[in-house]
Amino acid sequence: MTNVIDVDASGSGKLTLGDQQHTVTEPTADKAAVALIGRVLAWSHHTGEDVALKALWMGVPTGLRVHPDWTVTEDRTLLSDSDEARQALTYVPAEPEPEPEMFYELDDTDDLDAFEIPEPSPDPIDQLPTVPHVDTSQGAAMTDYTARELEAHWHSDGTATVVHDGSTRHFTNRDDVLRYAATVGRGLYTNVPVHIRTINGTGPTTLVVDPDGRYYDQATPEDWKDLPAPITPPAPIAGARSPAVAPSHTPTSAAPDHAGSRNGQHITTESALAADEAVVHAGSEYVGRRKSFVDDTPPELPPSAGWRGAAAKLGIKVEVSDAERAERSDQEAVSQHWAGPRTIAVVNGKGGAGKTVVTICLAATFAKWGGIGVLAWDNNQTRGTLGWRTERAQHDSTTLDLIPAVERLRGPDAQMADLAHFVHHQKRDRFDVLRSQPLKLAADQRITPNDVENLHDVAAKYYRLIIMDSGNDESDPIWQEMIRHADQLVVATGTRADHAEAGALLLEALIDEGGRAAELATSSVVVITQGDAKATHDDMTRLRDGFSRLSREAVTIRHDQGMVDGALRLDNLKPTTQRDWLRSAAAVARGL
């Protein structure tokens, strides 16, 4: 008989251990998993035998081995079809020898806590690999968790923005990006090449930078090129005071032998030692020659999900899974606050492509992880439906009511609470909505680009993040005014071919326009929602791959009935759907 733990999202759990069955009902799936895996640990310790266990966490299978020393390890061979796996999964623990009362306690499904669990083994499971010594002469040492891929966005003025390992860096030119990638490659303990996914007006390309100082375009791997040499700073004027802090023991004469070179210039052994002990300035950049004594990196929290979370709650030290670490990275990206307000424009020239759904779910996700200060704005004068799918406050105000109050709200005496007369607060999802008037014709509620500019001034004064839902007419002056204020473009599309084609044509038109429009298009994020439950995984993959050639990133959202009709609330969606929206919001955040 197979040993199985099966836990569902409702908190119900079942354990089949040998010829015995145990069931629990807890408020959450995590608590159910803790109760059941605790029984297996107690059984294994009691019998002195390993237990091969197939664990199903809300339908996701995991192979585990539970050991008598109160440790748990992952064994994916238990999920294969090999004879060894079948033999392991059919293992039945030996009948326990100890006195009957001990066995009775183990079988008591109502009082697992009464069984005393000793302290866990001091040896952690799946210890982190030891990071070898890394030469830091090229800068701060990189850990083995440093991402080996960069995203570089070339701007029309020759500068570049690079997204690396969740952080955004700005460079004055392309050559600096290449040199930075080589430094990253040298910092990795494996000394591996670094891929730069570059985006410009003609579409994305990938450059491969080798730590040895060469690089090539992935499209032409045979065409190796040398990295550009760093610019040597000009020699100081005679008699001028050097900005560098000179060490107290600066040598009076240079030794004849060379210790090597730094920044393209030869230095002597004594001057190298002096430089290592001094604070060195290269132009406006500070270069550290030692590792700081202060480590401000917060310790990693223990795992909280799946079997790892259950084991951690029992005091067993286990490593956080890659999936949970990726989720935490997305949460960190979405929860950040930027210096100044940011505006996101959600667009597609085809109606019904999911713009309103994307606007609501992104606003709710940013508000959930980043806190207050998020506004969803229906910038549509042709029956925008953002107000129909969100919660209404105790008034019916729309953009038409806010426009006459703009000057007062701009004034020094205006307060955040004054906006409550015009916006609709979402009590559960914690963001505000500025509605359009869907009951009037466009001719009866005409809004000008100047109105949009004034409304944006007010929104930027009181909100840190503005997400603008848009209409379908890309020639509408208020649509173009929205694009002028946008910091990030999000293209919403469903799985229908006409929705996807409309989104692709819009991106291509913006790229052809050049300038600021092209930058928004090539750095855009495409969100593909599976509105049709019959759409297949291949359909979603095909759309994602196609849009990845036009945008910075394309993400997919699985089908969820909670997104189809009626009022839309983030916490009404499935946990897997909420995870998809978190991933989408993180992709957007990386471009802000």
Side-chain angles (χ1 to χ4, degrees):
M1 181 178 296
T2 302
N3 303 306
V4 175
I5 281 182
D6 190 355
V7 178
D8 62 28
S10 67
S12 297
K14 180 175 67 175
L15 166 64
T16 302
L17 188 59
D19 57 356
Q20 298 189 28
Q21 298 280 337
H22 306 275
T23 59
V24 296
T25 301
E26 297 287 350
T28 65
D30 285 347
K31 291 185 177 180
V34 169
L36 293 178
I37 202 169
R39 291 187 175 282
V40 183
L41 283 163
W43 182 291
S44 176
H45 181 75
H46 188 55
T47 61
E49 300 287 344
D50 287 352
V51 177
L53 187 69
K54 181 178 181 181
L56 296 173
W57 310 104
M58 290 172 280
V60 180
T62 302
L64 304 178
R65 286 191 180 275
V66 181
H67 308 291
D69 63 351
W70 303 95
T71 61
V72 183
T73 56
E74 191 170 10
D75 187 351
R76 293 192 175 274
T77 64
L78 301 178
L79 304 179
S80 66
D81 294 326
S82 65
D83 291 337
E84 178 186 359
R86 280 192 291 270
Q87 181 180 0
L89 281 173
T90 55
Y91 166 73
V92 179
E95 194 70 21
E97 297 293 340
E99 50 272 12
E101 56 269 20
M102 175 64 78
F103 179 75
Y104 175 78
E105 287 185 5
L106 287 174
D107 191 41
D108 181 8
T109 59
D110 297 326
D111 192 15
L112 175 65
D113 294 336
F115 184 78
E116 183 178 354
I117 299 178
E119 291 296 322
S121 168
D123 296 328
I125 301 172
D126 299 332
Q127 284 187 324
L128 297 177
T130 301
V131 181
H133 171 74
V134 180
D135 178 16
T136 61
S137 61
Q138 299 295 333
M142 304 290 178
T143 69
D144 56 327
Y145 296 111
T146 303
R148 301 177 186 181
E149 292 186 353
L150 314 178
E151 279 189 358
H153 310 284
W154 312 128
H155 303 306
S156 56
D157 61 357
T159 62
T161 301
V162 172
V163 179
H164 172 219
D165 202 19
S167 300
T168 301
R169 296 168 172 82
H170 300 281
F171 294 86
T172 56
N173 56 66
R174 168 193 174 106
D175 292 347
D176 286 346
V177 175
L178 293 171
R179 286 191 288 268
Y180 172 73
T183 302
V184 171
R186 286 192 294 271
L188 295 171
Y189 76 92
T190 46
N191 208 39
V192 298
V194 173
H195 290 219
I196 306 178
R197 184 171 180 267
T198 67
I199 299 176
N200 53 28
T202 59
T205 59
T206 299
L207 300 178
V208 181
V209 181
D210 198 84
D212 67 358
R214 297 187 302 161
Y215 73 99
Y216 63 88
D217 190 317
Q218 203 170 48
T220 56
E222 69 285 350
D223 187 15
W224 285 85
K225 299 178 181 178
D226 292 329
L227 288 179
I231 299 174
T232 303
I237 301 174
R241 186 180 181 89
S242 172
V245 179
S248 58
H249 59 280
T250 303
T252 57
S253 61
D257 60 317
H258 290 284
S261 63
R262 285 182 184 158
N263 297 328
Q265 295 180 334
H266 286 287
I267 57 176
T268 63
T269 303
E270 285 189 287
S271 60
L273 293 174
D276 281 340
E277 297 178 8
V279 178
V280 180
H281 292 271
S284 62
E285 296 182 1
Y286 169 83
V287 182
R289 294 303 179 188
R290 65 169 179 82
K291 184 178 180 181
S292 173
F293 295 114
V294 178
D295 183 6
D296 59 356
T297 304
E300 186 174 55
L301 294 174
S304 60
W307 72 267
R308 298 172 188 268
K313 287 181 174 67
L314 290 168
I316 300 172
K317 187 175 181 181
V318 291
E319 184 187 354
V320 179
S321 68
D322 291 341
E324 186 168 358
R325 188 173 284 118
E327 183 172 1
R328 292 178 180 180
S329 176
D330 288 344
Q331 292 170 1
E332 183 177 351
V334 174
S335 64
Q336 65 181 308
H337 284 201
W338 302 274
R342 296 291 190 272
T343 300
I344 300 168
V346 182
V347 299
N348 190 317
K350 187 70 175 175
K355 294 188 292 294
T356 299
V357 170
V358 170
T359 300
I360 294 172
C361 290
L362 284 181
T365 303
F366 275 106
K368 176 179 179 179
W369 295 106
I372 62 173
V374 179
L375 176 69
W377 172 2
D378 196 353
N379 186 45
N380 189 350
Q381 51 193 354
T382 56
R383 299 192 186 279
T385 58
L386 181 62
W388 285 350
R389 302 213 60 184
T390 53
E391 188 177 354
R392 185 178 70 87
Q394 296 178 342
H395 57 75
D396 295 314
S397 296
T398 67
T399 52
L400 298 178
D401 301 293
L402 180 57
I403 289 172
V406 162
E407 289 305 321
R408 178 171 61 85
L409 291 170
R410 279 173 168 171
D413 297 331
Q415 299 177 353
M416 177 67 185
D418 295 334
L419 275 178
H421 298 290
F422 306 101
V423 297
H424 300 259
H425 182 63
Q426 308 301 297
K427 293 188 290 290
R428 286 168 59 180
D429 286 336
R430 298 182 296 176
F431 67 94
D432 291 346
V433 173
L434 179 57
R435 293 182 165 194
S436 63
Q437 176 51 273
L439 301 181
K440 290 186 178 182
L441 297 175
D444 297 328
Q445 57 169 334
R446 184 61 63 187
I447 297 176
T448 67
N450 187 61
D451 292 330
V452 173
E453 182 173 3
N454 291 335
L455 290 171
H456 189 272
D457 285 347
V458 172
K461 178 180 178 181
Y462 295 103
Y463 294 94
R464 65 181 182 86
L465 186 62
I466 305 163
I467 305 178
M468 299 180 70
D469 193 2
S470 63
N472 307 324
D473 185 1
E474 298 151 10
S475 65
D476 189 337
I478 72 167
W479 190 96
Q480 296 176 353
E481 183 68 17
M482 172 191 66
I483 294 298
R484 193 176 72 82
H485 288 286
D487 298 295
Q488 173 72 70
L489 198 67
V490 174
V491 178
T493 180
T495 51
R496 282 176 43 177
D498 54 343
H499 293 163
E501 186 65 16
L505 289 172
L506 170 58
L507 288 176
E508 290 170 347
L510 292 174
I511 292 173
D512 290 341
E513 185 177 332
R516 172 66 174 158
E519 288 185 10
L520 283 172
T522 54
S523 63
S524 66
V525 173
V526 179
V527 179
I528 307 162
T529 54
Q530 187 184 359
D532 183 3
K534 296 181 180 179
T536 65
H537 175 73
D538 290 342
D539 294 334
M540 302 290 284
T541 302
R542 177 174 55 84
L543 291 175
R544 184 188 63 201
D545 293 346
F547 276 111
S548 294
R549 300 184 180 93
L550 294 172
S551 63
R552 173 169 59 85
E553 191 169 350
V555 291
T556 58
I557 310 293
R558 285 164 281 196
H559 177 76
D560 194 315
Q561 193 61 34
M563 297 190 301
V564 176
D565 293 307
L568 179 53
R569 305 287 185 273
L570 186 66
D571 56 4
N572 284 347
L573 305 180
K574 300 174 185 176
T576 51
T577 311
Q578 294 185 44
R579 177 68 184 96
D580 288 346
W581 282 114
L582 176 61
R583 186 180 298 108
S584 302
V588 174
R590 286 191 287 269
L592 295 175

